[in-house]
Amino acid sequence: MTEDLTTYTEVDPNSHISATSSRMTGTGINRNETAYAYYDKGADYFDALDIYFDIRATNLDLNDILGVFGISNTLNHIGAFGTSDIKVLFYYPVGGARGLYLGTGGALDYMAISVNTTYYCILERAAGSASVNVKVYSDSGRETLLDTLTGTMAAASTKHRYIFGISSQYTN
């Protein structure tokens, strides 16, 4: 089933997020602001996960960080997510490489990425499992696997309510 991204609720006081039915774009979202777009699926909606999504960074400068996807029980920016929430983000840390990161339970796994390249992803989790994977492919048919990012949530029994199409990482 394909999500209509125009149905997501935006918390975007500085108008940095735009959505069409099939694409969500964040432009100029700063680290010192709260901006995100989410959909409330209802309590305990997400357990087993098999979610397909495509992502692309057209610009990722040093120290930039942006949540490009998330599953959470916390209605806030990805920096406020709990230890059993799931976040996928673009990040370019000082001393590191531009990367695609999977965050769960405070830990991050990543792979280096290139800007202006589309990555085709599948977020996977078995029902009742603490293990989460993001498989990253180079093609829309998801046949050429580039990497598998892995994470472990703090509580395997966690079921989630909210899905995020984009989010800031508020860090003052």
Side-chain angles (χ1 to χ4, degrees):
M1 175 160 107
T2 301
E3 291 276 319
D4 178 356
L5 300 177
T6 62
T7 63
Y8 281 47
T9 300
E10 291 183 23
V11 176
D12 185 20
N14 297 313
S15 301
H16 292 299
I17 299 171
S18 62
T20 66
S21 62
S22 62
R23 179 177 301 189
M24 195 163 289
T25 303
T27 305
I29 298 175
N30 296 310
R31 288 181 73 156
N32 65 347
E33 68 182 307
T34 296
Y36 54 90
Y38 72 95
Y39 195 92
D40 183 347
K41 295 286 192 172
D44 296 335
Y45 181 84
F46 293 103
D47 189 4
L49 301 172
D50 189 27
I51 299 173
Y52 288 59
F53 62 99
D54 308 343
I55 54 175
R56 178 186 187 97
T58 56
N59 186 39
L60 191 58
D61 291 329
L62 190 62
N63 233 2
D64 281 353
I65 188 167
L66 177 68
V68 293
F69 187 81
I71 303 288
S72 179
N73 284 318
T74 303
L75 188 55
N76 206 336
H77 60 85
I78 62 168
F81 279 17
T83 58
S84 287
D85 293 335
I86 303 162
K87 58 186 172 183
V88 179
L89 50 117
F90 287 131
Y91 184 31
Y92 187 6
V94 173
R98 288 178 177 93
L100 175 64
Y101 288 75
L102 169 63
T104 55
L108 293 173
D109 190 13
Y110 84 99
M111 64 173 271
I113 62 155
S114 300
V115 295
N116 293 313
T117 300
T118 301
Y119 296 93
Y120 303 89
C121 304
I122 304 173
L123 174 67
E124 300 174 326
R125 175 187 177 211
S129 174
S131 298
V132 178
N133 294 316
V134 173
K135 292 183 178 177
V136 184
Y137 297 86
S138 63
D139 61 301
S140 62
R142 290 169 173 79
E143 295 174 0
T144 305
L145 181 66
L146 298 174
D147 204 343
T148 300
L149 307 179
T150 61
T152 304
M153 300 182 332
S157 62
T158 301
K159 296 178 183 176
H160 296 97
R161 178 176 188 151
Y162 304 108
I163 184 169
F164 290 77
I166 200 164
S167 176
S168 65
Q169 163 88 26
Y170 185 84
T171 57
N172 274 340

